[in-house]
């Protein structure tokens, strides 16, 4: 539709190009799931139970970023008082644990990927996609300004976000017959 009236054309909303969305959207707004957490000393069986639950495909292994909680309290501190020190993903499970008997008394520390790449919750979606693509990551822990856990961003979160933002475009995409899947493994 061609609009020649400048007053009318300024009132017609134009769709935002995907590149603009990638640069402007902050990843902290995209995290759809509360991250499942564990500690380095958490028994592996408990971490796997959390992984099988509603974890979003990973368990973030954390240590206190502030003073440890009062042992007499039944409440855990807020999530942003935890510092990510590792991650255990579904891929870690398949590569390191599945089909093998875990060592007796094994803990998360023995199987987690230590020192996971993190990204600020204030960073752009564009930066997160670049980091995920370059690193082969499907999950990125989100951190606040102090390095405390603020959430987790997954490829699934990004796909859902784009499908919600551009529903007609996503639903009407023709299949690409010669498209090849990425052959790199997560974290490689």
């Amino acid at each position: 539709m061609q609009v020649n009236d400048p007053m009318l054309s300024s009132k017609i909303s134009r769709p935002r190009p995907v590149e603009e969305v990638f640069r402007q959207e902050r990843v902290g707004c995209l995290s759809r799931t509360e991250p499942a957490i564990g500690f380095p000393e958490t028994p592996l069986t408990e971490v796997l139970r959390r992984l099988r639950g509603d974890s979003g495909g990973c368990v973030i292994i954390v240590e206190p970023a502030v003073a440890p909680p009062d042992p007499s309290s039944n409440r855990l501190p807020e999530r942003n008082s935890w510092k990510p020190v590792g991650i255990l993903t579904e891929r870690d499970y398949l590569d390191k644990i599945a089909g093998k008997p875990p060592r007796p008394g094994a803990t998360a520390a023995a199987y987690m990927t230590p020192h996971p790449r993190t990204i600020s919750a204030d960073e752009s979606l564009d930066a997160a996609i670049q980091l995920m693509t370059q690193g082969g990551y499907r999950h990125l822990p989100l951190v606040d300004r102090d390095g405390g856990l603020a959430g987790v961003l997954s490829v699934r979160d990004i796909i859902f976000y784009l499908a919600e933002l551009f529903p007609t475009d996503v639903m009407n995409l023709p299949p690409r017959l010669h498209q090849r899947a990425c052959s790199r493994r997560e974290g490689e």
Side-chain angles (χ1 to χ4, degrees):
M1 172 175 110
Q2 183 77 18
V3 178
N4 293 327
D5 182 356
M7 294 300 286
L8 183 58
S9 67
S10 66
K11 294 178 183 176
I12 297 174
S13 75
R14 292 188 173 91
R16 293 170 38 195
V18 71
E19 295 85 5
E20 179 183 336
V21 171
F22 285 178
R23 284 190 301 274
Q24 292 181 352
E25 191 65 52
R26 302 295 125 200
V27 293
C29 299
L30 300 181
S31 179
R32 298 171 61 92
T33 58
E34 184 72 23
I37 63 169
F39 304 98
E41 64 277 1
T42 301
L44 181 62
T45 54
E46 176 60 23
V47 174
L48 293 178
R49 186 189 66 73
R50 293 176 191 172
L51 186 63
R52 282 190 298 271
D54 192 21
S55 68
C58 69
V59 176
I60 308 296
I61 309 302
V62 296
E63 288 182 345
V66 294
D70 178 5
S72 63
S73 171
N74 289 333
R75 290 186 51 224
L76 287 173
E78 296 297 318
R79 74 176 177 192
N80 60 357
S81 62
W82 299 113
K83 179 183 176 195
V85 295
I87 187 169
L88 196 130
T89 66
E90 293 168 337
R91 173 139 317 144
D92 289 323
Y93 171 77
L94 291 172
D95 288 346
K96 301 174 185 177
I97 303 167
K100 305 170 194 159
R103 293 177 286 211
T107 63
Y111 293 95
M112 71 182 189
T113 300
H115 314 293
R117 289 296 309 258
T118 62
I119 191 166
S120 169
D122 296 328
E123 194 58 74
S124 70
L125 177 56
D126 185 50
I129 291 172
Q130 286 181 33
L131 180 59
M132 293 173 101
T133 301
Q134 291 167 357
Y137 308 124
R138 291 185 290 172
H139 303 91
L140 279 178
L142 304 178
V143 294
D144 61 19
R145 289 186 184 109
D146 299 321
L149 183 63
V152 64
L153 179 69
S154 71
V155 170
R156 182 181 305 171
D157 296 333
I158 295 170
I159 299 285
F160 282 137
Y161 174 74
L162 291 175
E164 289 172 0
L165 193 62
F166 303 106
T168 305
D169 297 326
V170 171
M171 297 305 289
N172 292 326
L173 285 175
R176 291 175 42 197
L177 298 178
H178 302 291
Q179 182 175 349
R180 298 184 68 177
C182 180
S183 60
R184 280 189 344 176
R185 308 212 22 124
E186 182 173 13
E188 291 180 345

